[in-house]
Amino acid sequence: MNHIFKIGLSALLLIAIQGCSSHANYPVTRLAGWAHAQHAPWEVLELSAEFEDQNFSLYNSTTHMMIKAKVKARGHGTVTYQIKKLHISQRTIQEDLQKVVDIKITAPGFPPKPADLFIKQYQKKYKADTLPFTLIEITPVFEVNRFLRRAETREFDLIIEEPIQNRAPGRNYYRVKLGDRHIDLGTFQ
């Protein structure tokens, strides 16, 4: 009986760590640590994110974030890259309030005041110099395309439906990061 309990507890912990699965146009890995990848020179051309549903309440705290991006990988010599999968890491970080000046609030409710006024209000209310963000970090995992023997520069469209959950009432902040770009979004519950 004790053995079954340990297996069940391990399974629950694994589910809690992994969370819900993303729906994406490439396979997704959520393994901890850095995902193995070929060293591909790549850049982000476009990045957008929005909530699928914003009717958050005490009884409805989950939804999906729709993330769309276009990335470009430059080939060199005789090498052309392709995306094998996406590595998605979702964790909570504390962001320095002095750096949080471009939060885009798309949920109902009164949005925070811009820049300095918002920072002063937040510091006064919570006695804190940092703001908790859920960081959703996306890393394309590249590999060499073995079917192409000449260098080509390729563009890839990424479409990701990422599950999110508001775990606390009030405002919840999310940062979507891909390469050198990020988008800050906020919800109200």
Side-chain angles (χ1 to χ4, degrees):
M1 184 69 172
N2 194 17
H3 185 65
I4 294 172
F5 175 75
K6 288 180 182 177
I7 292 173
L9 184 61
S10 298
L12 283 174
L13 285 173
L14 183 62
I15 291 168
I17 291 170
Q18 291 283 354
C20 300
S21 296
S22 296
H23 303 287
N25 60 340
Y26 286 94
V28 169
T29 175
R30 290 181 179 275
L31 296 176
W34 191 252
H36 173 72
Q38 295 281 352
H39 178 70
W42 64 285
E43 62 181 303
V44 182
L45 303 177
E46 299 172 15
L47 177 62
S48 67
E50 62 184 8
F51 298 108
E52 185 179 63
D53 182 20
Q54 296 180 37
N55 296 320
F56 297 110
S57 68
L58 184 62
Y59 307 104
N60 181 28
S61 62
T62 60
T63 190
H64 285 87
M65 185 180 287
M66 304 301 296
I67 304 166
K68 294 183 180 178
K70 186 182 288 288
V71 301
K72 179 169 74 173
R74 293 183 299 281
H76 59 86
T78 59
V79 174
T80 295
Y81 292 102
Q82 63 185 3
I83 294 178
K84 182 180 179 183
K85 57 188 173 182
L86 302 176
H87 179 77
I88 299 179
S89 170
Q90 190 175 137
R91 63 190 187 277
T92 301
I93 61 170
Q94 294 290 327
E95 180 71 15
D96 183 349
L97 266 175
Q98 302 302 322
K99 297 177 182 176
V100 180
V101 293
D102 192 27
I103 298 175
K104 177 186 176 186
I105 302 297
T106 58
F110 296 104
K113 302 294 186 287
D116 292 341
L117 184 55
F118 164 64
I119 290 170
K120 289 174 186 172
Q121 287 176 340
Y122 189 89
Q123 285 174 326
K124 183 177 178 182
K125 182 174 181 180
Y126 296 104
K127 309 283 191 284
D129 292 324
T130 59
L131 183 68
F133 271 83
T134 297
L135 175 65
I136 302 169
E137 194 165 13
I138 304 159
T139 307
V141 180
F142 292 95
E143 69 174 8
V144 174
N145 189 335
R146 305 286 178 201
F147 297 106
L148 294 174
R149 300 290 181 193
R150 64 187 185 282
E152 292 183 10
T153 296
R154 290 280 172 99
E155 291 184 3
F156 304 93
D157 290 318
L158 306 182
I159 302 169
I160 303 161
E161 188 178 346
E162 176 72 2
I164 63 164
Q165 182 175 25
N166 281 332
R167 298 186 181 275
R171 296 204 175 275
N172 290 270
Y173 299 98
Y174 298 85
R175 171 166 291 172
V176 179
K177 187 174 186 299
L178 174 64
D180 60 351
R181 293 201 192 184
H182 74 268
I183 295 175
D184 290 341
L185 298 171
T187 66
F188 186 79
Q189 176 177 326

